[in-house]
Amino acid sequence: MDFVEKYYVPLVTAIWMICLPFVFMFFAGAGAETVFDWLSQLSHTIFAVFGGPSVIFGALLLVWTVWRGWRNGDLIHREA
């Protein structure tokens, strides 16, 4: 089993934890002073509350997953 198959769930979780706050940050800036100002304010609030910790814990989860795969030897491609 290769690295991505073995660590699929923590990798996808880490990627979502890192990328999703930046989507909220984009919508918070893109909708300001437009018809979607209410959505912009909501996105800004969501990013302010959850953005920083989510990015930090997502990065830690990604580093932990890669470290664990490296220590178990899953990052090295072996021929059968």
Side-chain angles (χ1 to χ4, degrees):
M1 196 177 327
D2 68 341
F3 177 73
V4 176
E5 289 176 351
K6 190 171 183 180
Y7 298 105
Y8 181 76
V9 172
L11 285 174
V12 170
T13 303
I15 290 169
W16 273 101
M17 289 177 73
I18 292 169
C19 293
L20 192 60
F22 291 113
V23 171
F24 286 127
M25 185 176 63
F26 171 77
F27 284 125
E33 303 298 325
T34 64
V35 175
F36 299 108
D37 193 42
W38 62 273
L39 184 62
S40 171
Q41 291 176 356
L42 179 65
S43 295
H44 181 61
T45 303
I46 291 172
F47 177 75
V49 173
F50 299 111
S54 179
V55 171
I56 291 170
F57 286 124
L60 288 175
L61 179 61
L62 186 62
V63 168
W64 177 80
T65 304
V66 171
W67 174 262
R68 186 172 173 109
W70 178 71
R71 290 210 41 198
N72 289 338
D74 296 327
L75 290 176
I76 301 169
H77 182 67
R78 298 183 193 126
E79 294 294 326

